[in-house]
Amino acid sequence: MSTTTVNISAAQVKELREKTGAPMMDCKQALTESKGDLEQAVVMLRKRGVSVAAKKATRVTSEGSVASYIHAGGKIGVLVEVNCESDFVARTEDFRELVHDIAMHVAASDPKFIRKEDVTTEAYEREKDIYRAQAKATGKPENVVEKIVEGKMAKFYEEVCLYEQPFIKDQTTTVSQLIASKIGKLGENIAVRRFARFKVGDAGETIAVTRPDQKTE
């Protein structure tokens, strides 16, 4: 039985790099392993990025950058602080692009918290009580009610937590996965520390800060 060798072109590598932001050699390796299947290669790179991110998650992030984003027309403004481990990485184009993209995402998607762990007990219990009451009103058994509540809470996190939201420029990936891919590429832990979002006409503003037990310094 003969084996087929797949020739990976520079154009394929370039396309995958533009899609994922991963290093050139990693892109070529993923394409080789996936036998030229672009979508499968993307999945491989995302998994590796998440794996690298998990290993670096406890490392100190005391450097970084603050960026602003003003939505077209000047009606919405965002300030965001994203941290990394070194000033060198903070000055790279990749990191600055990430910070800008996160600020733009916050302007468009209006998250209320950074991570699931940052959701306040009050907000969590309020939503859970509402979902449980809605589920019980259907008359379904208690075990089914709990599954319904669990599913709705997962959706709640996706709606209000920055890290859980689908990234506005690529709905197939979450903000958390976007950050993980940059961690894999830049080799440093990266974390969103805080953001503030202002909208003309709103009485208040959205201010989100990483909880003290989610240490980044």
Side-chain angles (χ1 to χ4, degrees):
M1 182 177 178
S2 61
T3 57
T4 303
T5 301
V6 178
N7 292 319
I8 306 301
S9 69
Q12 287 175 293
V13 175
K14 182 174 181 292
E15 183 180 1
L16 182 58
R17 178 172 168 75
E18 289 174 349
K19 194 174 181 66
T20 64
M24 198 77 74
M25 290 307 297
D26 288 356
C27 290
K28 186 173 182 179
Q29 182 180 351
L31 282 166
T32 300
E33 291 177 11
S34 67
K35 295 182 172 57
D37 187 319
L38 181 67
E39 294 308 316
Q40 189 177 338
V42 169
V43 172
M44 287 180 177
L45 288 172
R46 284 181 179 168
K47 287 180 178 178
R48 288 171 189 167
V50 170
S51 176
V52 171
K55 291 177 182 177
K56 297 181 183 295
T58 59
R59 286 165 53 165
V60 175
T61 53
S62 56
E63 293 292 341
S65 178
V66 173
S68 63
Y69 178 79
I70 307 299
H71 191 61
K75 298 296 185 182
I76 298 174
V78 169
L79 278 175
V80 63
E81 178 184 349
V82 182
N83 295 146
C84 56
E85 296 176 40
S86 71
D87 185 52
F88 172 77
V89 163
R91 294 197 305 268
T92 62
E93 183 178 345
D94 280 307
F95 184 81
R96 291 199 302 269
E97 179 185 49
L98 173 66
V99 179
H100 174 268
D101 281 348
I102 289 173
M104 182 172 60
H105 177 95
V106 170
S109 299
D110 192 19
K112 305 301 181 186
F113 305 96
I114 297 174
R115 301 175 176 83
K116 289 194 292 186
E117 295 84 356
D118 299 319
V119 175
T120 62
T121 302
E122 293 80 7
Y124 175 85
E125 292 298 338
R126 180 178 65 248
E127 293 301 315
K128 196 169 184 180
D129 286 346
I130 292 171
Y131 296 146
R132 182 176 286 111
Q134 291 173 343
K136 282 186 175 180
T138 65
K140 290 182 170 58
E142 186 62 28
N143 64 321
V144 176
V145 166
E146 288 306 312
K147 287 182 180 179
I148 292 173
V149 171
E150 185 178 329
K152 285 185 174 290
M153 287 306 297
K155 186 65 177 176
F156 167 71
Y157 285 135
E158 185 180 310
E159 291 174 351
V160 303
C161 298
L162 172 66
Y163 274 41
E164 303 300 312
Q165 291 181 333
F167 179 43
I168 57 165
K169 290 168 68 174
D170 179 4
Q171 296 287 304
T172 66
T173 189
T174 63
V175 172
S176 177
Q177 290 170 334
L178 171 69
I179 294 171
S181 71
K182 293 296 184 181
I183 292 173
K185 181 177 182 180
L186 296 172
E188 288 193 3
N189 189 20
I190 297 171
V192 177
R193 176 180 289 279
R194 52 191 166 182
F195 67 78
R197 182 182 185 274
F198 306 88
K199 182 178 180 180
V200 173
D202 278 6
E205 65 284 323
T206 298
I207 298 177
V209 181
T210 300
R211 279 172 46 178
D213 56 344
Q214 303 297 314
K215 293 181 180 178
T216 56
E217 69 173 14

